[in-house]
Amino acid sequence: MPKHKTLTVLERRIEETQASLMRAKARYDRLTQELQALHIEHDRVRAETIHRAFKKSGKSMDELMTFLGC
């Protein structure tokens, strides 16, 4: 016959699982913030690279926009 769990055991397991879930959510939130910061830094570096290339090209803004098809 299967062993029945007591309420005390079940309540302890519920508390442990909730604590584990809270730690996982905190880790998820921290990694989400880190990923967002990395995306912002990536976009900044790309923008700087494009800006340097534009300045080096000697072209006007109108020429650039025509080239880009805007």
Side-chain angles (χ1 to χ4, degrees):
M1 217 158 124
K3 182 179 176 182
H4 293 285
K5 296 180 180 178
T6 66
L7 280 178
T8 306
V9 170
L10 289 172
E11 288 169 352
R12 182 174 43 92
R13 292 282 315 271
I14 288 170
E15 289 173 4
E16 290 171 354
T17 303
Q18 284 176 331
S20 178
L21 184 60
M22 287 177 14
R23 286 189 303 273
K25 184 178 181 327
R27 183 172 184 264
Y28 171 83
D29 291 343
R30 181 181 51 80
L31 289 172
T32 300
Q33 287 179 344
E34 182 179 343
L35 180 60
Q36 187 177 25
L38 288 169
H39 278 299
I40 290 169
E41 179 71 11
H42 180 264
D43 290 347
R44 186 188 62 76
V45 169
R46 288 182 78 184
E48 288 175 358
T49 302
I50 291 168
H51 184 256
R52 280 193 306 272
F54 172 66
K55 286 180 77 174
K56 186 178 178 182
S57 74
K59 303 292 182 184
S60 70
M61 183 60 103
D62 289 334
E63 290 171 314
L64 175 63
M65 298 310 285
T66 299
F67 174 75
L68 294 174
C70 298

